[in-house]
Amino acid sequence: MNNENTIKANQSAKPYVAETPWLDPEAVPFIQIKGLSKQFDDFSAVDNVDLNIYKGELFTILGGSGCGKSTLLRMLAGFETPNAGQIIIDGIDMANIPAYDRPINMMFQSYAVFPHMTVEQNISYGLKKDKLAKAEIATRVKDMLELVQLSELAKRKPNQLSGGQRQRVALARALIKQPKVLLLDEPLAALDKKLREQTQFELINLQYELGITFVVVTHDQEEAMTLSTRVAVMDAGKFIQIDTPTQVYESPHNRFVANFFGTINFFNATVLSTDPEAQTLTAQLEKTGTQLEAKAEGRFSASDEVTIAVRPEKISVSQERPEGDHLTITKGTVEDLAYYGNRSVYRVRSQSGRIIQVSAQNNQRSEQLVLEWDDEVYLSWDSSCNVVLSE
Amino acid sequence: MQKSSRFVFSALCFGFAFLYIPILVLIAFSFNQSAITSVWGGFSLRWYTALFNNEQIIEAALLSLKIAATSATFATILGTMAGLALTQIGRYRGRLIFTGLIAAPLVMPEVITGLSLLLMFVSLQELIGWPLSRGAGTITIAHITFSMAYVAVIVQSRLSSMDQSLQEAAMDLGGRPTQVAFDITLPLIAPSMLSGWLLAFTLSLDDLVIASFTSGAGASTLPMVIFSKIKLGVTPDINALATLIIGTVSIGIMIASWVMFRQSKRN
Ligand SMILES: Nc1ncnc2c1ncn2[C@@H]1O[C@H](COP(=O)(O)OP(=O)(O)O)[C@@H](O)[C@H]1O
Ligand SMILES: [Mg+2]
């Protein structure tokens, strides 16, 4: 898990998110999906899904393998017919519009670059089908080749290209048609790690420059965090949570989402009292009886069983008992530690016997480990870091 | 180590000798001056001249080539359509049965295929008065029937190893279904159609059994003529003919494997 990278990348992507139309009740969504379902035989691949995507968004659908992401995308593109529901794009119902007439283009998971055509022929294919004038096709292909940096390779066949180059051919081929929406099915999955990180930023820049609405499907949560304006977390054909990357990371709705994005510590607890005005509650941890405060909307009441979730990087570890207001404090012994250079990860066994994972920045220069195995330590975190989950 | 590799080498030599010495002997004797098959009388092209003056054989060879070319062409068209239907049209009920059915003629004994086709032609004649007589036409139909299965299997295996999203990608970029078929599908399966055609052509040239069942009095294909001549005793002009056939078939196989090689290199 590499949370530092995720967060850093996320910040540099921030300037591109100019607006937040999803917060505006007046805003008209560019893509409206209503009650969309798709069954294969008796199996529900996509199950009664509702979704609004706004113009210019870089929207990510995130979920494990087989949860129905590709099926959803293929329904948008027109390759699968929904069993129920509606897809409206830019005010037009897509029900009776075949794939070749939709204002959408797709970049396939396999890239699907035509093997018997050169790079240039691949990229010009869509414009030729639109019966554009030869001269216009030529200039647009030339511009597009420059944009994706493939000018030198224009005459090559796909089998003479690397994976990253093929990916750019597929992207260029879809973008040249200037679609209203570009669908990308696992656009980076076939690339190696280094190329993937670099390509992520290229994608973001491209999307920002062209202003096309991107819908990206991925199973890689880091990719989802880096790329998107908003993320829809999907499981078994349904959306679990649709929010901004920071919201899904910091305020997951349930254990599934919390677990999906990196590591997190869970504590079973019982609500002691609630304060509806301040939107806070007090809860008691199951075994140790430690009392803690947490922010929570009004949906909890006293004696509810809840889960308290805390991210490892929110927890401070120290050998003296920390002082301060609104701190949740617990004691334990270091059972395991891993030194990563920029940070260390500690696995601390608390007095209740559970393992708590802590990720600490090594913000002081020291050639000795600050903490050793079997050291007695205090763990503390600000009560605002407590996330209350209903299950 | 030494010993075993010597053993492997001699086994290899023996195997190849077993396969190819009869053929080499046949080729050598086609250039024999002497009329007696077992005695070498010096080099000559005499039997080739004799062969080209033998009208019966030339006629039969031309008929065989015509039947082979026609049946291979139709078998390729029909077989490609069958292969497309088996792989492209979604998942439908009984698709597995169809796949099995299309491959069945590959393992069916020729005698049975021939007999059943003969029965079909006879009963059709009684029912609708067609075919009036059996001959080149009925042989061609029979050859289309069995070689179509080979083409279908070759095309089908190519199609199912092909990335299905290629066609979807073309459609996504604005290609109508027929355009996609001509722009993407056909160019990609063309090599397997060509090897299917060559295979069908060779099978048709080679066939004796089914042709004998479905032919009438008038038409004799080359294998039928050779077979009937051999019953009267082997003449050296048959050696010359066999040499020519071997030459043709080798060239055909070389082209087919070259096509396959290029295709596999491209993927
Ligand atoms: N054409 C199909 N026929 C039957 N089942 C399918 C078909 N396409 C997808 N599925 C099933 O639907 C589920 C979701 O598939 P998919 O959308 O490809 O998942 P993802 O892209 O999230 O990995 C999978 O369980 C898959 O087996
Ligand atoms: Mg998928």
Side-chain angles (χ1 to χ4, degrees), chain A residues 344-362:
Chain A
S344 295
V345 170
Y346 304 99
R347 286 162 63 78
V348 176
R349 191 172 290 280
S350 76
Q351 284 164 332
S352 71
R354 76 162 62 247
I355 294 283
I356 301 171
Q357 189 152 327
V358 182
S359 170
Q361 288 293 330
N362 292 327

Side-chain angles (χ1 to χ4, degrees), chain A residues 12-86:
Chain A
S12 63
K14 271 246 162 74
Y16 305 127
V17 191
E19 309 154 75
T20 52
W22 51 89
L23 295 179
D24 176 4
E26 305 270 286
V28 181
F30 196 59
I31 305 174
Q32 280 175 281
I33 297 175
K34 292 178 191 164
L36 199 65
S37 294
K38 177 74 191 176
Q39 279 110 33
F40 294 111
D41 300 324
D42 291 335
F43 174 78
S44 253
V46 172
D47 192 3
N48 197 10
V49 156
D50 294 297
L51 182 63
N52 289 330
I53 299 175
Y54 296 86
K55 198 171 172 64
E57 268 202 89
L58 208 167
F59 192 92
T60 303
I61 298 165
L62 173 72
S65 171
C67 72
K69 309 180 296 289
S70 293
T71 307
L72 181 62
L73 219 54
R74 291 168 56 78
M75 283 194 280
L76 281 170
F79 300 126
E80 303 278 3
T81 320
N83 291 97
Q86 213 181 7

